[in-house]
Amino acid sequence: MAYQTLTVEIEDYVALIRLNRPEALNALNSQLMGELAEATADADRNEKVRCIVLTGSEKAFAAGADIKEMSEKSFVQVTTENIFSAEIDRITSVRKPIIAAVSGYALGGGCELAMACDFIICADTAKFGQPEINLGVIAGIGGTQRLTRFVGKSKSMDMHLTGRFMDAAEAERSGLASRVVPAAKLISETMAIARKIAEKSLIATAAAKEAVNRAYETTLAEGILFERRSFQALFATEDQKEGMNAFLEKREAQFRDR
Ligand code: HXC
């Protein structure tokens, strides 16, 4: 499918989705969010895809929601449109793992989009922020909730109330990014990580993703029960037998998603 605001390349069972609105530092407008929701859903359905990488440009993952598109909207419009909520929900309902590869600015909706992915690998040039407060608004696609869960209340309040940016080292230190890599290697390193994930059983990666995400939705006891049941259910798959037999036979497992 041809998109105007992003590109999709599929290689080695990894879909690399690049946001592509260079004139606006990949600001998220309704066309881009619609296309992104479509592209991720498409990758989720595609048998040639087992892991997804979402990235932007060297200068910006995304500098936030498109302020030009938003600025003149009324309360009634933003409420009835419920901007970007359906798109973010579609992206977070993808069952395959999605890695955000962040270089440069990930601000406002851009930071929120990165956090809606499963984990964040960032370049040493990355700058995260929730600067909506400077525009007289607040985060609107999950930032107050997700950032608080990633980095804790104190740092999240600091970010949302002052609008300051967090650099890559602080992002890694505080748990927002899982790894920092040199900017020139961001895509190659993230693709290598994605290829590793793509080699696993698709049923198991989806189960792992679902169980970790459950930690944000429920109590510890319920989450542990959910995990235990998923773990047990995986014994109904051929991939569990293959994975364990391959270990015992000292060979590489060949998962077949069955
Ligand atoms: C629309 C944007 C944009 C944005 C940048 N641009 N961010 N356009 N929406 N969010 C455009 C600029 O207008 C400019 O276009 C071009 O991109 C380059 O940006 P510059 O500002 O010239 O670049 P630079 O000086 O390097 O500064 C980079 C920056 C700055 C620090 C990232 O652009 C910036 O502060 N952007 C806004 C960040 C922000 O406030 N994000 C939160 C948005 S609200 P022209 O045509 O002038 O060359 C949000 C809410 C989410 O995200 C919730 C939604 C429901």
Side-chain angles (χ1 to χ4, degrees):
M1 186 151 174
Y3 300 107
Q4 279 157 5
T5 61
L6 51 86
T7 62
V8 183
E9 294 158 60
I10 298 173
E11 199 187 297
D12 297 337
Y13 293 96
V14 178
L16 174 62
I17 303 178
R18 283 181 199 265
L19 305 181
N20 187 30
R21 290 192 70 215
E23 70 284 3
L25 301 183
N26 292 331
L28 313 173
N29 63 8
S30 38
Q31 183 182 14
L32 182 149
M33 288 301 284
E35 291 189 350
L36 182 58
E38 200 50 52
T40 49
D42 204 45
D44 207 20
R45 286 187 295 261
N46 188 338
E47 285 180 5
K48 296 269 176 238
V49 176
R50 305 170 68 82
C51 187
I52 300 164
V53 173
L54 176 61
T55 195
S57 66
E58 225 175 284
K59 181 163 181 192
F61 177 76
D66 191 311
I67 301 168
K68 268 186 213 142
E69 189 181 75
M70 251 181 340
S71 64
E72 293 304 320
K73 285 189 193 286
S74 67
F75 166 74
V76 171
Q77 274 175 304
V78 290
T79 309
T80 45
E81 286 170 18
N82 226 352
I83 29 176
F84 301 162
S85 68
E87 291 87 345
I88 278 285
D89 287 351
R90 278 185 79 190
I91 294 163
T92 55
S93 70
V94 166
R95 303 206 64 212
K96 292 171 186 169
I98 309 181
I99 309 174
V102 173
S103 177
Y105 296 111
L107 303 178
C111 186
E112 296 173 284
L113 176 61
M115 292 189 291
C117 297
D118 296 313
F119 64 102
I120 299 174
I121 309 281
C122 74
D124 48 13
T125 57
K127 287 187 175 58
F128 298 90
Q130 297 290 163
E132 291 95 335
I133 201 76
N134 299 326
L135 303 170
V137 292
I138 65 169
I141 40 174
T144 60
Q145 305 307 297
R146 288 202 176 92
L147 188 62
T148 308
R149 283 164 159 89
F150 274 100
V151 305
K153 176 179 171 183
S154 190
K155 218 176 257 291
S156 179
M157 280 286 189
D158 177 359
M159 301 288 290
H160 285 283
L161 293 176
T162 66
R164 77 171 175 90
F165 298 167
M166 189 190 269
D167 67 16
E170 186 181 4
E172 186 187 30
R173 200 167 62 236
S174 54
L176 177 56
S178 72
R179 315 185 198 186
V180 181
V181 300
K185 292 190 168 168
L186 177 67
I187 298 303
S188 59
E189 298 256 334
T190 309
M191 289 298 280
I193 294 163
R195 278 195 296 272
K196 279 241 164 294
I197 294 172
E199 286 168 10
K200 322 284 183 211
S201 162
L202 206 54
I203 313 171
T205 57
K209 169 171 174 162
E210 202 170 45
V212 172
N213 280 330
R214 205 71 184 177
Y216 290 118
E217 305 291 347
T218 190
T219 62
L220 180 62
E222 285 297 323
I224 285 174
L225 179 60
F226 182 88
E227 177 199 81
R228 186 181 305 148
R229 292 290 178 243
S230 293
F231 169 79
Q232 292 162 351
L234 290 168
F235 283 72
T237 67
E238 288 176 20
D239 282 350
Q240 172 269 326
K241 299 288 175 285
E242 168 62 12
M244 293 193 180
N245 286 335
F247 174 82
L248 295 173
E249 291 160 15
K250 302 189 189 303
R251 60 174 175 83
E252 288 284 313
Q254 299 294 324
F255 294 116
R256 295 163 65 212
D257 307 329
R258 289 184 194 164

Short mmCIF file of all heavy atoms in Angstrom, two decimals, residues 21-64:
data_model
loop_
_atom_site.label_atom_id
_atom_site.label_comp_id
_atom_site.label_asym_id
_atom_site.label_seq_id
_atom_site.Cartn_x
_atom_site.Cartn_y
_atom_site.Cartn_z
N ARG A 21 7.45 13.21 7.32
CA ARG A 21 6.96 14.57 7.05
C ARG A 21 8.09 15.52 7.41
O ARG A 21 8.00 16.26 8.42
CB ARG A 21 5.73 14.90 7.91
CG ARG A 21 4.45 14.17 7.57
CD ARG A 21 3.28 14.82 8.30
NE ARG A 21 2.98 16.13 7.77
CZ ARG A 21 2.55 17.16 8.54
NH1 ARG A 21 2.37 17.03 9.83
NH2 ARG A 21 2.30 18.33 7.98
N PRO A 22 9.16 15.50 6.65
CA PRO A 22 10.35 16.27 7.04
C PRO A 22 10.09 17.76 7.19
O PRO A 22 10.72 18.42 8.00
CB PRO A 22 11.35 15.99 5.90
CG PRO A 22 10.55 15.43 4.77
CD PRO A 22 9.35 14.78 5.37
N GLU A 23 9.10 18.27 6.42
CA GLU A 23 8.83 19.71 6.48
C GLU A 23 8.29 20.14 7.84
O GLU A 23 8.32 21.31 8.19
CB GLU A 23 7.86 20.12 5.35
CG GLU A 23 6.41 19.64 5.48
CD GLU A 23 6.16 18.15 5.16
OE1 GLU A 23 7.13 17.43 4.88
OE2 GLU A 23 4.99 17.74 5.22
N ALA A 24 7.79 19.19 8.63
CA ALA A 24 7.22 19.54 9.94
C ALA A 24 7.81 18.67 11.04
O ALA A 24 7.14 18.42 12.06
CB ALA A 24 5.70 19.41 9.89
N LEU A 25 9.03 18.23 10.87
CA LEU A 25 9.69 17.35 11.86
C LEU A 25 8.78 16.18 12.28
O LEU A 25 8.69 15.85 13.45
CB LEU A 25 10.13 18.16 13.09
CG LEU A 25 11.10 19.32 12.84
CD1 LEU A 25 11.52 19.99 14.14
CD2 LEU A 25 12.36 18.84 12.10
N ASN A 26 8.13 15.62 11.28
CA ASN A 26 7.24 14.46 11.48
C ASN A 26 6.09 14.74 12.45
O ASN A 26 5.61 13.82 13.14
CB ASN A 26 8.03 13.23 11.96
CG ASN A 26 8.95 12.70 10.89
OD1 ASN A 26 8.66 12.86 9.70
ND2 ASN A 26 10.06 12.10 11.29
N ALA A 27 5.67 16.01 12.52
CA ALA A 27 4.51 16.32 13.38
C ALA A 27 3.34 15.43 12.96
O ALA A 27 3.12 15.17 11.77
CB ALA A 27 4.15 17.79 13.24
N LEU A 28 2.61 14.98 13.96
CA LEU A 28 1.54 14.01 13.73
C LEU A 28 0.26 14.73 13.33
O LEU A 28 -0.37 15.39 14.15
CB LEU A 28 1.28 13.21 15.01
CG LEU A 28 2.52 12.66 15.75
CD1 LEU A 28 2.10 12.03 17.09
CD2 LEU A 28 3.25 11.63 14.88
N ASN A 29 -0.11 14.63 12.06
CA ASN A 29 -1.41 15.17 11.65
C ASN A 29 -2.37 13.99 11.41
O ASN A 29 -1.98 12.82 11.56
CB ASN A 29 -1.29 16.09 10.42
CG ASN A 29 -0.78 15.36 9.19
OD1 ASN A 29 -0.65 14.13 9.18
ND2 ASN A 29 -0.48 16.11 8.14
N SER A 30 -3.61 14.32 11.07
CA SER A 30 -4.59 13.23 10.98
C SER A 30 -4.25 12.25 9.86
O SER A 30 -4.47 11.04 10.01
CB SER A 30 -6.02 13.75 10.86
OG SER A 30 -6.06 14.87 10.06
N GLN A 31 -3.68 12.75 8.78
CA GLN A 31 -3.31 11.83 7.69
C GLN A 31 -2.22 10.86 8.16
O GLN A 31 -2.33 9.64 7.98
CB GLN A 31 -2.80 12.61 6.46
CG GLN A 31 -2.49 11.67 5.32
CD GLN A 31 -1.93 12.37 4.08
OE1 GLN A 31 -1.52 13.53 4.15
NE2 GLN A 31 -1.90 11.67 2.98
N LEU A 32 -1.18 11.40 8.81
CA LEU A 32 -0.10 10.53 9.28
C LEU A 32 -0.61 9.51 10.29
O LEU A 32 -0.30 8.31 10.20
CB LEU A 32 1.03 11.37 9.89
CG LEU A 32 2.26 10.60 10.38
CD1 LEU A 32 3.52 11.45 10.23
CD2 LEU A 32 2.14 10.12 11.80
N MET A 33 -1.42 9.94 11.23
CA MET A 33 -1.90 9.00 12.24
C MET A 33 -2.80 7.93 11.62
O MET A 33 -2.74 6.75 12.01
CB MET A 33 -2.64 9.74 13.37
CG MET A 33 -1.71 10.53 14.26
SD MET A 33 -0.44 9.51 15.08
CE MET A 33 -1.42 8.71 16.35
N GLY A 34 -3.61 8.33 10.63
CA GLY A 34 -4.45 7.35 9.93
C GLY A 34 -3.59 6.34 9.18
O GLY A 34 -3.83 5.13 9.24
N GLU A 35 -2.58 6.85 8.48
CA GLU A 35 -1.72 5.95 7.72
C GLU A 35 -0.91 5.04 8.64
O GLU A 35 -0.70 3.86 8.34
CB GLU A 35 -0.79 6.77 6.80
CG GLU A 35 -1.57 7.45 5.68
CD GLU A 35 -0.69 8.11 4.62
OE1 GLU A 35 0.54 8.22 4.81
OE2 GLU A 35 -1.24 8.52 3.58
N LEU A 36 -0.49 5.59 9.77
CA LEU A 36 0.31 4.78 10.71
C LEU A 36 -0.55 3.66 11.31
O LEU A 36 -0.09 2.51 11.43
CB LEU A 36 0.89 5.68 11.81
CG LEU A 36 1.78 4.97 12.82
CD1 LEU A 36 2.96 4.28 12.16
CD2 LEU A 36 2.28 5.98 13.87
N ALA A 37 -1.78 3.98 11.66
CA ALA A 37 -2.67 2.95 12.20
C ALA A 37 -2.88 1.85 11.16
O ALA A 37 -2.87 0.65 11.48
CB ALA A 37 -4.00 3.57 12.62
N GLU A 38 -3.04 2.27 9.90
CA GLU A 38 -3.24 1.32 8.81
C GLU A 38 -1.98 0.47 8.59
O GLU A 38 -2.05 -0.76 8.45
CB GLU A 38 -3.57 2.12 7.53
CG GLU A 38 -4.27 1.34 6.44
CD GLU A 38 -5.47 0.57 6.94
OE1 GLU A 38 -6.35 1.19 7.61
OE2 GLU A 38 -5.54 -0.64 6.67
N ALA A 39 -0.82 1.14 8.57
CA ALA A 39 0.43 0.43 8.29
C ALA A 39 0.77 -0.58 9.39
O ALA A 39 1.27 -1.68 9.12
CB ALA A 39 1.58 1.44 8.13
N THR A 40 0.50 -0.22 10.65
CA THR A 40 0.81 -1.17 11.73
C THR A 40 -0.18 -2.34 11.70
O THR A 40 0.22 -3.50 11.91
CB THR A 40 0.80 -0.48 13.12
OG1 THR A 40 -0.39 0.29 13.25
CG2 THR A 40 2.01 0.40 13.32
N ALA A 41 -1.46 -2.05 11.42
CA ALA A 41 -2.45 -3.13 11.33
C ALA A 41 -2.10 -4.06 10.18
O ALA A 41 -2.21 -5.29 10.27
CB ALA A 41 -3.86 -2.55 11.16
N ASP A 42 -1.64 -3.46 9.09
CA ASP A 42 -1.25 -4.23 7.92
C ASP A 42 -0.06 -5.15 8.24
O ASP A 42 -0.03 -6.32 7.87
CB ASP A 42 -0.86 -3.21 6.84
CG ASP A 42 -1.00 -3.79 5.46
OD1 ASP A 42 -2.03 -4.43 5.22
OD2 ASP A 42 -0.05 -3.62 4.66
N ALA A 43 0.93 -4.59 8.95
CA ALA A 43 2.11 -5.38 9.34
C ALA A 43 1.69 -6.51 10.28
O ALA A 43 2.23 -7.62 10.24
CB ALA A 43 3.14 -4.47 10.01
N ASP A 44 0.71 -6.22 11.13
CA ASP A 44 0.24 -7.24 12.08
C ASP A 44 -0.38 -8.43 11.33
O ASP A 44 -0.25 -9.57 11.74
CB ASP A 44 -0.81 -6.60 13.01
CG ASP A 44 -0.88 -7.31 14.36
OD1 ASP A 44 0.10 -8.00 14.72
OD2 ASP A 44 -1.90 -7.16 15.06
N ARG A 45 -1.04 -8.12 10.20
CA ARG A 45 -1.69 -9.19 9.41
C ARG A 45 -0.71 -9.90 8.48
O ARG A 45 -0.96 -11.01 8.05
CB ARG A 45 -2.78 -8.57 8.51
CG ARG A 45 -4.04 -8.14 9.24
CD ARG A 45 -5.11 -7.71 8.22
NE ARG A 45 -4.72 -6.53 7.47
CZ ARG A 45 -5.14 -5.30 7.74
NH1 ARG A 45 -5.96 -5.08 8.74
NH2 ARG A 45 -4.74 -4.27 7.01
N ASN A 46 0.39 -9.26 8.15
CA ASN A 46 1.30 -9.76 7.11
C ASN A 46 2.17 -10.91 7.61
O ASN A 46 2.93 -10.76 8.58
CB ASN A 46 2.18 -8.59 6.63
CG ASN A 46 3.01 -8.94 5.43
OD1 ASN A 46 3.27 -10.11 5.16
ND2 ASN A 46 3.44 -7.93 4.70
N GLU A 47 2.10 -12.05 6.95
CA GLU A 47 2.87 -13.21 7.39
C GLU A 47 4.37 -13.02 7.22
O GLU A 47 5.17 -13.76 7.79
CB GLU A 47 2.43 -14.45 6.60
CG GLU A 47 1.10 -14.97 7.07
CD GLU A 47 0.66 -16.20 6.30
OE1 GLU A 47 1.43 -16.69 5.46
OE2 GLU A 47 -0.48 -16.65 6.56
N LYS A 48 4.75 -12.05 6.42
CA LYS A 48 6.19 -11.77 6.22
C LYS A 48 6.74 -10.84 7.29
O LYS A 48 7.88 -10.39 7.22
CB LYS A 48 6.41 -11.12 4.84
CG LYS A 48 6.06 -12.00 3.69
CD LYS A 48 7.31 -12.78 3.25
CE LYS A 48 7.02 -13.76 2.15
NZ LYS A 48 7.35 -15.13 2.49
N VAL A 49 5.90 -10.49 8.27
CA VAL A 49 6.34 -9.58 9.34
C VAL A 49 6.18 -10.28 10.69
O VAL A 49 5.13 -10.84 11.00
CB VAL A 49 5.49 -8.28 9.33
CG1 VAL A 49 5.87 -7.38 10.51
CG2 VAL A 49 5.65 -7.54 8.01
N ARG A 50 7.26 -10.23 11.50
CA ARG A 50 7.20 -10.84 12.83
C ARG A 50 7.59 -9.85 13.92
O ARG A 50 7.46 -10.14 15.10
CB ARG A 50 8.13 -12.07 12.88
CG ARG A 50 7.81 -13.08 11.77
CD ARG A 50 8.87 -14.15 11.67
NE ARG A 50 8.87 -15.00 12.83
CZ ARG A 50 8.05 -16.02 13.00
NH1 ARG A 50 7.16 -16.33 12.08
NH2 ARG A 50 8.10 -16.74 14.10
N CYS A 51 8.06 -8.69 13.51
CA CYS A 51 8.39 -7.63 14.47
C CYS A 51 8.36 -6.32 13.68
O CYS A 51 8.63 -6.31 12.47
CB CYS A 51 9.78 -7.88 15.06
SG CYS A 51 10.20 -6.74 16.40
N ILE A 52 8.02 -5.23 14.37
CA ILE A 52 7.87 -3.93 13.70
C ILE A 52 8.81 -2.92 14.36
O ILE A 52 8.94 -2.91 15.59
CB ILE A 52 6.40 -3.45 13.82
CG1 ILE A 52 5.45 -4.48 13.18
CG2 ILE A 52 6.21 -2.06 13.20
CD1 ILE A 52 3.97 -4.32 13.57
N VAL A 53 9.45 -2.12 13.53
CA VAL A 53 10.28 -1.01 14.05
C VAL A 53 9.66 0.28 13.55
O VAL A 53 9.40 0.42 12.34
CB VAL A 53 11.74 -1.13 13.57
CG1 VAL A 53 12.55 0.10 13.98
CG2 VAL A 53 12.40 -2.40 14.14
N LEU A 54 9.41 1.20 14.47
CA LEU A 54 8.86 2.50 14.09
C LEU A 54 9.92 3.56 14.34
O LEU A 54 10.46 3.65 15.46
CB LEU A 54 7.61 2.79 14.93
CG LEU A 54 6.97 4.17 14.73
CD1 LEU A 54 6.51 4.37 13.30
CD2 LEU A 54 5.79 4.34 15.69
N THR A 55 10.22 4.33 13.32
CA THR A 55 11.25 5.35 13.48
C THR A 55 10.85 6.64 12.77
O THR A 55 9.80 6.69 12.10
CB THR A 55 12.62 4.82 12.99
OG1 THR A 55 13.66 5.67 13.47
CG2 THR A 55 12.69 4.75 11.46
N GLY A 56 11.70 7.67 12.93
CA GLY A 56 11.45 8.94 12.25
C GLY A 56 12.67 9.29 11.42
O GLY A 56 13.21 8.44 10.71
N SER A 57 13.13 10.52 11.54
CA SER A 57 14.34 10.93 10.82
C SER A 57 15.45 11.09 11.86
O SER A 57 15.24 10.92 13.06
CB SER A 57 14.09 12.26 10.11
OG SER A 57 13.89 13.28 11.07
N GLU A 58 16.62 11.48 11.35
CA GLU A 58 17.73 11.71 12.27
C GLU A 58 17.41 12.87 13.22
O GLU A 58 17.70 12.81 14.40
CB GLU A 58 18.94 12.09 11.42
CG GLU A 58 20.21 11.39 11.82
CD GLU A 58 21.31 11.74 10.85
OE1 GLU A 58 21.29 11.19 9.72
OE2 GLU A 58 22.16 12.59 11.20
N LYS A 59 16.75 13.90 12.69
CA LYS A 59 16.48 15.09 13.51
C LYS A 59 15.27 14.91 14.43
O LYS A 59 15.21 15.49 15.51
CB LYS A 59 16.28 16.32 12.62
CG LYS A 59 16.03 17.57 13.44
CD LYS A 59 16.21 18.88 12.73
CE LYS A 59 15.94 20.00 13.74
NZ LYS A 59 15.80 21.31 13.13
N ALA A 60 14.29 14.14 13.97
CA ALA A 60 13.08 14.03 14.79
C ALA A 60 12.37 12.70 14.60
O ALA A 60 12.08 12.30 13.46
CB ALA A 60 12.10 15.15 14.45
N PHE A 61 12.12 12.03 15.70
CA PHE A 61 11.18 10.91 15.68
C PHE A 61 9.82 11.52 15.34
O PHE A 61 9.23 11.20 14.31
CB PHE A 61 11.16 10.21 17.04
CG PHE A 61 10.17 9.10 17.15
CD1 PHE A 61 10.43 7.87 16.57
CD2 PHE A 61 8.97 9.27 17.83
CE1 PHE A 61 9.50 6.82 16.66
CE2 PHE A 61 8.04 8.24 17.92
CZ PHE A 61 8.31 7.01 17.33
N ALA A 62 9.37 12.45 16.15
CA ALA A 62 8.19 13.27 15.84
C ALA A 62 8.13 14.41 16.86
O ALA A 62 8.28 14.17 18.06
CB ALA A 62 6.91 12.45 15.91
N ALA A 63 7.92 15.63 16.34
CA ALA A 63 7.94 16.81 17.22
C ALA A 63 6.57 17.11 17.82
O ALA A 63 6.29 18.24 18.21
CB ALA A 63 8.47 18.02 16.46
N GLY A 64 5.72 16.11 17.86
CA GLY A 64 4.42 16.30 18.52
C GLY A 64 3.28 16.28 17.54
O GLY A 64 3.46 16.09 16.35
#
